[in-house]
């Protein structure tokens, strides 16, 4: 029998730059993603977040959609640039007001807000001072966090510090496909450390102010070796160290995985023990973003981990080239529990881009692959609960089709279709399926 706990949170997730549009409205400062998307050649088709889903103006309509789907929670990100246009110093009351209205309207619909402080869009003024490479980042981030806590903690029960440190670092500083577009082997170990210290500094501030719960959101990608050859097994370990354990191990009191020193070579650094004491500061929950597992083989051309994905025969792949593998969601949650301890978890993102019909036909958008994806992954989440994982909620990625970073608007992840020419929203079949699952507390997954 499939029944999720009564107080299980059913939600969807978004992030500010991906949906809001109007990035400079009402006194907001320039962010790194605004700058990056306006740099020719960075984003597919020259797309930008200038309008995106126009959520900055259509937020009330979007909350009605959430209510219509029966959602009990909504995870969204704050644009740091709206609140502190230059990253530090002067406050912009209009930015705070925007989020304040949003939070009130969510609560009026019985939708619990989960707020992400940092979902990749850094004030450009801070990037000009080195961004995540600057050792002052933990203070700047904690000051920003404190402004948000003081403004909203009376109404926000769940806080996430940083969304996916690995992607921020790998995409932004190693590979360069994301803002700020650096390509370096020397910067990532510094960025990783500053991200972790910044997270910890925000948690520490929260302990003095907050009444709710705070955690971090990590994307976890379980790895399987393509063969049992020594080379493939070692490549798989490196890939796992780089992507998963680089962040999770120090958060839970372990040193950085030893293989990172090999990956980064001369770029590797040693840090004072007192930093690790800070980083391990207890969190109230872990947010897990799960999209795919990776089957890995040794590949001397694949910088920086020399590990590449091996295609799996008969597997379904999403448009972003990710293998659909629901069983690995259960396994990921069990792995966290076993390795890091029995702490509350949320699935803070899970979803897929598929080639949906480009427009609604007779008011419908049918997305059978996403329906299947959603059902299989929610069953997998339930399996984890049945095996003892303290899983408290599920947030689908995403509520709306949106600006998919360097892929622009070419990849659709929404439960709700957005016609970007008219901004018309249409609930997809997957959205309707989610509504039934929520209403039945999971019983609809039995059919
Ligand atoms: C991010 C989202 C992104 C999604 C799909 C996650 O890595 O948190 O912002 O849109 O994956 O790529």
């Amino acid at each position: 029998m499939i029944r999720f706990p009564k107080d299980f949170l059913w939600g969807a997730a978004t992030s500010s730059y991906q949906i809001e549009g109007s990035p400079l409205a009402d006194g907001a400062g320039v962010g790194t993603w605004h700058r990056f998307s306006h740099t020719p050649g960075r984003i597919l088709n020259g797309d930008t977040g200038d309008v995106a889903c126009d959520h900055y103006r259509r937020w009330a309509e979007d909350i009605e959609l959430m209510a219509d789907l029966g959602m009990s929670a909504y995870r969204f990100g704050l644009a740091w640039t709206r609140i502190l246009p230059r990253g530090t110093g002067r406050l912009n009351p209009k930015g705070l007001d925007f989020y304040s209205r949003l939070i009130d309207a969510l609560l009026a619909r019985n939708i619990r807000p989960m707020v992400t402080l940092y979902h990749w869009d850094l004030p450009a003024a801070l990037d000009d001072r080195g961004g995540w490479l600057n050792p002052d980042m933990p203070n700047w981030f904690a000051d920003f966090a404190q402004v948000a806590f003081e403004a909203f903690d009376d109404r926000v029960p769940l806080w996430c510090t940083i969304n996916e440190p690995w992607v921020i670092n790998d995409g932004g500083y190693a590979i360069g496909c994301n803002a700020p577009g650096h390509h370096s082997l020397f910067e990532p170990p510094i960025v990783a450390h500053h991200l972790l210290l910044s997270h910890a500094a925000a948690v520490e501030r929260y302990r003095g102010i907050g009444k709710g719960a705070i955690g971090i959101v990590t994307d976890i990608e379980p790895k399987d070796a393509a063969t049992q050859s020594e080379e493939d097994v070692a490549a798989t370990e490196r890939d796992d160290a780089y992507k998963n354990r680089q962040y999770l191990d120090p958060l839970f009191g372990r040193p950085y995985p030893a293989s990172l020193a090999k990956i980064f070579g001369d770029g590797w650094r040693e840090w004072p023990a007192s930093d690790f004491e800070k980083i391990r500061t207890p969190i109230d929950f872990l947010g897990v973003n799960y999209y795919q597992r990776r089957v890995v083989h040794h590949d001397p051309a694949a910088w920086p981990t020399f590990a590449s994905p091996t295609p799996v025969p008969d597997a379904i792949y999403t448009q972003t080239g990710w293998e659909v593998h629901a069983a690995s969601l259960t396994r990921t949650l069990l792995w966290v529990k076993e390795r890091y301890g029995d702490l509350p978890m949320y699935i803070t993102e899970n979803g897929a881009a598929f080639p949906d019909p480009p427009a609604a036909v007779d008011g419908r958008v049918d997305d059978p692959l996403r329906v299947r994806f959603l059902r299989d992954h929610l069953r997998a989440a339930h399996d984890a609960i049945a095996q003892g994982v303290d899983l408290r909620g599920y947030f689908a990625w995403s509520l709306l089709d949106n600006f998919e970073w360097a892929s622009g608007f070419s990849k659709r992840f929404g439960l709700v279709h957005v016609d970007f020419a008219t901004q018309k929203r249409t609930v997809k079949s997957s959205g309707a399926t989610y509504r039934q699952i929520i209403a039945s507390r999971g019983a609809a997954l039995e059919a």
Side-chain angles (χ1 to χ4, degrees):
M1 193 172 93
I2 303 184
R3 289 295 178 281
F4 283 81
K6 279 210 174 70
D7 51 0
F8 192 79
L9 293 184
W10 299 95
T14 63
S15 88
S16 54
Y17 191 76
Q18 293 182 272
I19 64 163
E20 287 177 358
S22 310
L24 306 180
D26 298 328
V30 173
T32 43
W33 269 93
H34 180 71
R35 195 147 77 173
F36 195 69
S37 67
H38 282 267
T39 305
R42 289 302 200 173
I43 312 293
L44 191 67
N45 303 321
D47 290 341
T48 72
D50 288 2
V51 179
C53 307
D54 199 22
H55 174 78
Y56 190 70
R57 299 189 305 158
R58 294 171 194 263
W59 54 273
E61 180 190 340
D62 291 338
I63 292 176
E64 290 313 304
L65 278 170
M66 297 174 211
D68 172 57
L69 295 183
M71 284 171 32
S72 54
Y74 173 51
R75 172 173 175 247
F76 63 97
L78 302 179
W80 188 337
T81 48
R82 293 198 195 280
I83 294 172
L84 296 166
R86 298 193 52 78
T88 57
R90 190 179 53 80
L91 259 175
N92 179 34
K94 286 191 174 166
L96 282 173
D97 287 351
F98 168 66
Y99 293 112
S100 190
R101 283 193 299 272
L102 183 76
I103 290 165
D104 283 343
L106 288 166
L107 293 173
R109 284 306 216 151
N110 279 323
I111 298 171
R112 217 173 291 180
M114 176 188 264
V115 169
T116 309
L117 290 165
Y118 185 74
H119 200 129
W120 306 2
D121 192 23
L122 191 71
L126 296 185
D127 191 50
D128 292 342
R129 296 158 78 182
W132 290 104
L133 290 160
N134 190 316
D136 286 333
M137 270 303 291
N139 285 331
W140 296 336
F141 183 63
D143 287 347
F144 161 58
Q146 184 166 342
V147 169
F149 299 151
E150 282 170 356
F152 307 131
D153 189 61
D154 57 338
R155 289 165 287 159
V156 169
L158 294 164
W159 292 89
C160 307
T161 54
I162 289 176
N163 181 71
E164 298 189 350
W166 180 79
V167 180
I168 296 169
N169 199 1
D170 182 67
Y173 293 85
I175 307 294
C177 58
N178 287 348
H182 298 194
H183 184 56
S184 163
L185 198 55
F186 292 97
E187 293 178 358
I190 303 170
V191 169
H193 202 66
H194 289 169
L195 284 163
L196 290 169
L197 284 170
S198 299
H199 150 78
V203 173
E204 201 196 320
R205 280 307 162 90
Y206 192 67
R207 295 300 172 218
I209 304 169
K211 291 186 286 293
I214 191 162
I216 188 169
V217 171
T218 54
D219 48 323
I220 305 182
E221 203 176 84
K223 314 283 180 182
D224 287 312
T227 74
Q228 286 311 305
S229 76
E230 217 174 286
E231 278 194 324
D232 285 351
V233 170
T236 308
E237 192 281 330
R238 282 196 302 279
D239 214 35
D240 179 53
Y242 179 61
K243 167 126 199 186
N244 301 321
R245 287 178 286 118
Q246 176 168 200
Y247 301 93
L248 286 165
D249 278 5
L251 285 168
F252 292 99
R254 297 172 182 237
Y256 284 116
S259 44
L260 293 177
K262 261 185 259 153
I263 295 171
F264 291 113
D266 291 345
W268 187 242
R269 297 260 204 127
E270 298 298 333
W271 303 94
S274 56
D275 284 5
F276 292 93
E277 283 305 311
K278 289 181 187 156
I279 291 169
R280 68 184 300 177
T281 185
I283 50 179
D284 302 315
F285 64 86
L286 182 70
V288 174
N289 289 358
Y290 174 76
Y291 285 93
Q292 63 162 339
R293 70 141 177 187
R294 276 236 290 192
V295 176
V296 171
H297 67 273
H298 177 72
D299 176 359
W303 187 87
T305 54
F306 307 112
S308 279
T310 306
V312 178
D314 302 327
I316 295 176
Y317 284 86
T318 70
Q319 267 186 314
T320 45
W322 301 338
E323 186 198 352
V324 176
H325 202 262
S328 283
L329 171 58
T330 317
R331 161 188 167 195
T332 295
L333 298 170
L334 288 167
W335 173 77
V336 170
K337 179 176 158 150
E338 190 188 320
R339 185 173 174 86
Y340 300 114
D342 189 5
L343 82 165
M345 284 187 255
Y346 292 89
I347 296 167
T348 33
E349 286 179 32
N350 172 239
F354 290 118
D356 299 339
V361 177
D362 299 332
R364 290 175 59 92
V365 175
D366 284 322
D367 57 342
L369 289 172
R370 192 173 293 97
V371 168
R372 169 90 190 270
F373 182 99
L374 181 71
R375 291 176 56 87
D376 288 351
H377 284 77
L378 278 167
R379 280 201 202 100
H382 189 268
D383 284 349
I385 297 175
Q387 291 177 58
V389 172
D390 184 4
L391 183 68
R392 308 247 173 127
Y394 175 91
F395 293 81
W397 185 270
S398 182
L399 178 69
L400 304 166
D401 292 336
N402 60 44
F403 177 80
E404 175 55 19
W405 307 113
S407 303
F409 297 101
S410 68
K411 305 282 184 289
R412 292 176 179 272
F413 278 87
L415 298 173
V416 176
H417 178 269
V418 177
D419 179 333
F420 291 104
T422 60
Q423 290 295 340
K424 186 173 170 11
R425 275 81 161 131
T426 305
V427 175
K428 300 181 193 178
S429 312
S430 56
T433 301
Y434 197 34
R435 187 196 278 129
Q436 286 171 351
I437 296 169
I438 296 173
S440 66
R441 267 180 46 217
L445 293 168
E446 287 166 13

